[in-house]
């Protein structure tokens, strides 16, 4: 069974130059947590996700060493206020600054089991691109794979 059998062709698409705020509004309106980012020519640029955005708002732990003794203490500073401030700053950032790339892509005729491996190992949907042009065709998600497999068994 090829990936095209689990393909979701209609999905929210974002542009690299959009702001994170615009992207979040589009995701919220569509009720999704991620969207492919495509260039003006339709080629896949990356994947923007709420998960990745939140990951970027996490506090950075600080490693404090004891002057060459080899003893290191990891200290994480209080997070909620700092996370909220970082998220607010990110709202005006460009999607291109927050998207994940390189995004691993598959083709419509890639075997579905390869897409399953990708989705499980990468923790992200598989983007489907045209092998000749690199143009974005659609995505394959855990749910779309499950639905395709269920159709096979009736």
């Amino acid at each position: 069974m090829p990936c095209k059998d689990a393909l979701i062709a209609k999905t929210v698409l974002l542009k690299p130059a959009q702001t994170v705020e615009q992207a979040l509004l589009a995701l919220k309106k569509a009720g999704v947590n991620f969207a492919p980012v495509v260039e003006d020519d339709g080629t896949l640029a990356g994947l923007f996700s709420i998960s990745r955005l939140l990951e970027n708002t996490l506090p950075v732990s600080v490693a404090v060493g004891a002057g060459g003794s080899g003893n290191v203490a990891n200290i994480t500073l209080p997070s909620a206020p700092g996370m909220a401030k970082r998220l607010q700053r990110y709202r005006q950032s460009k999607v291109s600054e927050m998207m994940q790339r390189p995004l691993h892509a598959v083709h419509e005729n890639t075997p579905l089991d390869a897409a399953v491996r990708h989705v499980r190992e990468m923790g992200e949907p598989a983007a489907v691109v045209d092998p000749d042009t690199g143009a974005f065709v659609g995505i394959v998600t855990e749910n779309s794979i499950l639905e395709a497999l269920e159709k096979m068994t009736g």
Side-chain angles (χ1 to χ4, degrees):
M1 171 181 268
C3 281
K4 65 183 171 189
D5 292 341
L7 181 72
I8 301 170
K10 290 192 173 202
T11 185
V12 174
L13 296 177
L14 301 174
K15 298 287 185 185
Q18 283 181 277
T19 64
V20 168
E21 186 166 14
Q22 291 169 325
L24 290 173
L25 287 172
L27 295 180
K28 186 174 183 179
K29 183 177 178 182
V32 296
N33 294 326
F34 63 86
V37 181
V38 295
E39 301 288 354
D40 289 335
D41 65 359
T43 57
L44 183 65
L47 181 75
F48 178 85
S49 69
I50 292 174
S51 174
R52 171 91 170 174
L53 179 63
L54 290 176
E55 182 180 311
N56 281 311
T57 67
L58 287 173
V60 177
S61 62
V62 179
V64 179
S69 67
N71 296 330
V72 176
N74 286 321
I75 301 169
T76 301
L77 305 174
S79 60
M83 288 176 65
K85 287 178 185 176
R86 280 188 288 282
L87 180 59
Q88 190 59 35
R89 278 195 318 266
Y90 290 150
R91 288 186 170 284
Q92 296 312 310
S93 298
K94 300 294 181 198
V95 165
S96 61
E97 298 169 29
M98 293 288 145
M99 70 183 183
Q100 179 181 343
R101 62 178 135 177
L103 183 64
H104 302 282
V106 297
H107 302 143
E108 287 181 301
N109 291 322
T110 299
L112 194 58
D113 61 319
V116 169
R117 278 190 214 88
H118 168 86
V119 170
R120 296 306 314 140
E121 291 171 7
M122 300 298 184
E124 66 186 32
V128 181
V129 298
D130 181 286
D132 298 322
T133 64
F136 176 77
V137 176
I139 58 172
V140 175
T141 65
E142 290 174 325
N143 286 337
S144 70
I145 292 168
L146 186 61
E147 288 174 15
L149 294 173
E150 287 174 342
K151 285 180 187 175
M152 281 182 64
T153 59

